[in-house]
Amino acid sequence: MKLITGLTAAVLLALSAGGAAAEQGITDTEILLGDVAPFTGPPGLLGIAHNVGVKLAIAEVNAAGGIAGRQVKLVSEDDGYVTSRTIQSIRKLIGVDKVFALTAMSGTGQAMASMPIVKQAGIPAMVPIGQLPAMYEPPINNVFVVGQTYTEGMRQLALYLAKTHPGAKWGVILQDDDYGKALADGLEQAQADAEINIVFETKYARGQKDFASEMLRVKAANVDVLIAGGIISENIGIVKEAEKLSITPTIAAFWPGRVPEVLKAIGPASDGLIGVDYVTPIQSEAGQAFVELAKNYLSEEEVPRINRYTMTGYASTKVLLTAIKACETDLTWACTIEKMQSNPPVETGVMAPVRFGEDNRFSNSPVTIMRADFETLSYSPVKD
Amino acid sequence: MTYLLELLSSGLAIGAVYGLIAMSFAIIYKSTGLLNFSQGEMSMIIAYVAWSISTGTDGNPFIVAIGSIGFAILFALAVERIAIRPMMGEPILSQIMVTIGLSVIFRALVTLLWDGLPHNMELAAGNALVDFGGIQVRVAQIAVVVMLFVAIAGMWTFFRYSRFGLAMRAVASDDGTAQLMGVKTGRVQMAAWAASAVMSGTAGVLFAIAFELSPSLYGLGLKAFPATILGGLDSVIGSAFGGLIIGVAENLVGGYISSSLKEIAGFVIIILILMIRPYGLFGEKRIERL
């Protein structure tokens, strides 16, 4: 009996040791990563650009000889921004494709819904889109959140506007969901530190396109500073309506829609729009250097798709690949996670250096306030 | 007073968009008994084609109009011939499911053939602002209201005086008897699909000029369908007024009460009216002999 027990224990030990040595997604020639994002429908605007950034970070590493002689490969899954499809895709990537790590889990709601699966699997996973405190408080050992929360971004934006527009009357238009709630929280936090006089505040249902009545109320309230809390189409509607009503409040919008296409769709009225982001504007020196880098590795069809989401995808994947590279001789999940938390700050060129810690899974990247320029369809950091 | 007039003008403009698409729902229902749940998506695809024509040419509005109308007719005829006609005689739920399937396909096609980005559709002076005693309105918004009333007048004349319109009414009333009387029901259906595509396409194009062109434009169909129910599912002209009522109600509620209630305002009106008139404001009560 003792002999059987001893043999069983030896077999189990051997199996577990073997499992640790041959982590999934690793072969002698390649390392397989998985990416889930929306590539179809309106959210494709962010998903396609993000995926291009992930591919860029991988191409850069492969061009430099790969990691320990292995080429990095990517399996991309389109979830269409539908949570059930995100979960299916994550399960497929982990269980069928057997990827070594995840470079994204789509947007905010999708990543939140996928978190239990990822946590249970223990696979290293990055969150470069739609950051929420619930993703890192308390920290999940294998999940790393790169960027900044909407709440903190809103707080910083409001503090800047309060400083530059003392005594102004504020108007706030927010979406009636988690995104709108996060912005409202940020505004509330800013109110504790600065004088913000909100004279008009309203919420709209997601998907609304006509903002005529909201903007008429903004006009009636003589608003000087307007927070356009929409994502893409909504902000286009809000700013175009302000143009129609011939009102010129300082309009501030958030990073989800900080892409050239939105400025183009708004037209000249987009000039002077205030934005906030934790990645550098494309027109900045660092932004231009990023575009030049991208031209070396991406196809002619991919380069025009570059926007802020390309930068966030690139930065996040670069951080992951840096940790994997640091584990050249021990390519395991445990080593990668350990290197993610102990590596020195990773310089990505498009945002502040990214660093995590033993009990910290959030990069807490600083934000920059920027102003839109319609002529160049870009943003540049404000100087005042 | 200016505030109220501004709310009314915006409400009429968006209501006219809903109205044109609502008329498209009604004309197909009236002549075939089918609810086409891909109407919003068809409107979106026609708007994208119009945008492609405008950016691919010098943007001459007549070329864009002729090209878009031509495409709308061919597109609708193709849909009717390939996907709808083979389903004739099948259970109505199966036919409706086909239109729901088409809506999903059309949505995917837009991002495959074009992209997921928002676009500014500049066509002639469509985006320009016109001042009516201090009330600013975009040319495209005026155009959509005008087009709605042209469509109402056209449809009224068509159904009342044209042989084809009478044939359409006959098919709607009893397609079997109409066939026995020599009415070619296939042609009637084709005409209904073509007319509905032209009307909803016009709404999509003018909406895209006044607001933006993006793959979420199909959502107009979801807003217009309740307008059809409000006006009366079998009343093409009633549906147009249903659209205007919902557009104005949304804006008045948003302007005087709360934006949060804006989206439900139209549905509250529909529930109230359907409780009093179950066949809609202008719908006809159907009496079935047993």
Side-chain angles (χ1 to χ4, degrees), chain A residues 269-329:
Chain A
S270 65
D271 205 44
L273 196 67
I274 301 292
V276 58
D277 210 336
Y278 53 87
V279 290
T280 188
I282 295 272
Q283 289 303 315
S284 68
E285 207 174 306
Q288 286 301 298
F290 177 76
V291 174
E292 288 307 312
L293 172 80
K295 284 179 183 168
N296 294 330
Y297 298 106
L298 299 178
S299 67
E300 277 182 22
E301 291 80 38
E302 286 170 328
V303 171
R305 288 175 168 170
I306 293 175
N307 62 35
R308 69 167 300 280
Y309 292 102
T310 315
M311 292 182 170
T312 57
Y314 169 79
S316 171
T317 308
K318 184 164 183 169
V319 172
L320 173 67
L321 291 172
T322 304
I324 296 174
K325 200 165 188 179
C327 295
E328 275 185 337
T329 53

Side-chain angles (χ1 to χ4, degrees), chain A residues 39-45 48 200 202-214 216-217 219-220 232-234 236-237 239-241 243-246 259 261-262 264-268 305 307, chain B residues 3 6-7 9-11 14 18 107 111-112 116-120 127 129 134 136-138 141 207-212 214-218 220 250-260 262-263:
Chain A
F39 305 135
T40 49
L45 170 68
I48 294 168
F200 171 68
T202 193
K203 285 182 183 163
Y204 67 87
R206 196 175 181 171
Q208 183 176 318
K209 284 187 168 291
D210 173 25
F211 287 86
S213 59
E214 287 81 358
L216 275 166
R217 293 179 77 171
K219 184 183 178 184
I232 293 173
S233 294
E234 302 84 4
I236 295 171
V239 182
K240 284 187 91 165
E241 205 61 39
E243 181 192 32
K244 196 184 105 183
L245 296 172
S246 303
V259 292
E261 289 77 12
V262 169
K264 201 174 170 187
I266 293 172
R305 288 175 168 170
N307 62 35
Chain B
Y3 184 72
E6 282 179 319
L7 283 172
S9 67
S10 299
I14 194 71
Y18 299 156
R107 267 180 246 168
T111 36
L112 283 174
L117 306 172
H119 296 285
N120 186 18
N127 231 332
L129 292 165
Q136 303 239 56
V137 186
R138 291 192 192 276
Q141 291 180 303
F207 179 88
I209 295 172
F211 295 89
E212 48 125 20
S214 77
S216 58
L217 198 138
Y218 73 87
L220 290 175
E250 276 183 359
N251 270 266
L252 290 178
V253 169
Y256 286 110
I257 305 172
S258 164
S259 292
S260 312
K262 192 172 170 174
E263 293 293 301

